[in-house]
Amino acid sequence: MPILAARDDVEMAAVCRLGHGELRQVADRFGFAFATEDYRELLDRPLDAVVISTPHSRHFEHAKAALERGLHVMVEKPMTIDAEEAWDLAETSRRRGLHLLVPYGWNYAPYIQEAKRLLDDGGIGTIEFVSLTMASPIRQLLAGRETPHGEGDMFRPDSATWADPAVAGGGYGPAQLSHGTGMLFFLTPLRAGEVFAFMTGPGSRVELYDAISVKFGSGAIGTIAGSSGIPGAHKFQLDLRLFGSEGMLLIDVERERLELHREDGRVYNPPIPSGSGDYACDGPPHRFIDLILGRETENPSSGEIAARSVELLDAASRSAASGRVEAVAEVVSNQAS
């Protein structure tokens, strides 16, 4: 909200949240002309776009309703919990000519954009193997023992939005690993085909650890792992390694590294300014507005990218429950690669 309110080409027209007192505080702070606890009343207003940051399990209901009203949508990650619902949103936005954006902040970092250029130029040839590992200091959050509250935050979120599986739709996967898979599917055209996963959550109602094996539709295979077990104030860890027929590409956000190594001996290791790997999410809201106004055409965190992330995590969750390899749901979409 502060990012959007600071722009002179955005009007903060309407806001919806539960709790009359909290709603009034938000409306007063950001100058909303209309405030309601009923999202349907909000969607009846003359709007161009909405931002949806409700609990994970409500994303589909709210985003679908907004798209059907002809509104552009930015919806928090994970876009949905269910794969079919994710592709429904992606297809609805495509069919209606609307922008649908999920704020994966790292996709907007300059060195991640450079990695995308290298891969698009055939830097490693055909992708054959993927290794993705992510870790975050959120064990206490997922266990329901604390909720985040940073400088400038107005409220603490209800712990159930992270720690109750009925509300959160899962643990580390939707809460954090979705950032890593969102980056993977921005950088590559891969789409998961079959998934096997183990998930554990010691002392928690949702999973704290994810160990996922994937066979992609292209024939490539890979491993995707997630951990909530970083202590205290340590930085996020996100390490992505892509191995191909002509080389390998390495990304490490903790140590701020981007390297391309090719079979022909060429090495590309550009300098990355200190702090570039820190997570920031100012890129997505700015891009959302610029897409709507026609100032930008590229969406690095589109509904199609988000749907490929959701379907992998959905299959992983089903696999952890069944103990079997689970196929990604057969969802037909004109956006699917």
Side-chain angles (χ1 to χ4, degrees), residues 3-11 286 289 293 295:
I3 291 171
L4 296 176
R7 293 184 62 128
D8 59 11
D9 52 4
V10 172
E11 177 188 351
H286 284 306
I289 300 303
L293 295 175
R295 296 171 182 164

Side-chain angles (χ1 to χ4, degrees), residues 31-187:
F32 285 103
F34 178 80
T36 179
E37 293 185 71
D38 186 340
Y39 79 90
R40 298 169 188 83
E41 291 184 353
L42 180 142
L43 294 178
D44 284 337
R45 307 294 295 179
L47 304 172
D48 296 307
V50 297
V51 175
I52 296 169
S53 55
T54 49
H56 304 160
S57 57
R58 303 298 300 277
H59 286 178
F60 175 72
E61 175 189 350
H62 297 156
K64 179 73 170 182
L67 290 169
E68 293 291 3
R69 297 291 185 98
L71 304 177
H72 304 287
V73 171
M74 183 169 80
V75 55
E76 262 294 350
K77 58 81 203 159
M79 184 168 70
T80 66
I81 301 301
D82 178 84
E84 291 190 15
E85 292 180 345
W87 284 112
D88 186 329
L89 294 182
E91 175 61 18
T92 301
S93 66
R94 184 204 64 80
R95 178 171 37 86
R96 297 183 67 99
L98 298 168
H99 295 293
L100 175 61
L101 183 147
V102 178
Y104 301 122
W106 274 307
N107 292 11
Y108 296 76
Y111 73 105
I112 302 301
Q113 295 275 327
E114 175 68 359
K116 170 70 169 170
R117 183 191 66 78
L118 294 171
L119 291 167
D120 287 350
D121 287 346
I124 66 170
T126 301
I127 297 172
E128 298 173 338
F129 185 80
V130 173
S131 173
L132 170 63
T133 302
M134 184 174 180
S136 320
I138 65 165
R139 180 176 187 142
Q140 302 305 315
L141 174 66
L142 294 180
R145 291 192 283 270
E146 67 177 34
T147 52
H149 192 262
E151 183 179 352
D153 291 351
M154 298 179 70
F155 315 106
R156 289 183 182 272
D158 185 338
S159 63
T161 62
W162 298 88
D164 183 341
V167 179
Y172 192 81
Q176 292 286 279
L177 193 53
S178 55
H179 283 292
T181 54
M183 178 194 293
L184 170 66
F185 293 123
F186 163 60
L187 292 172

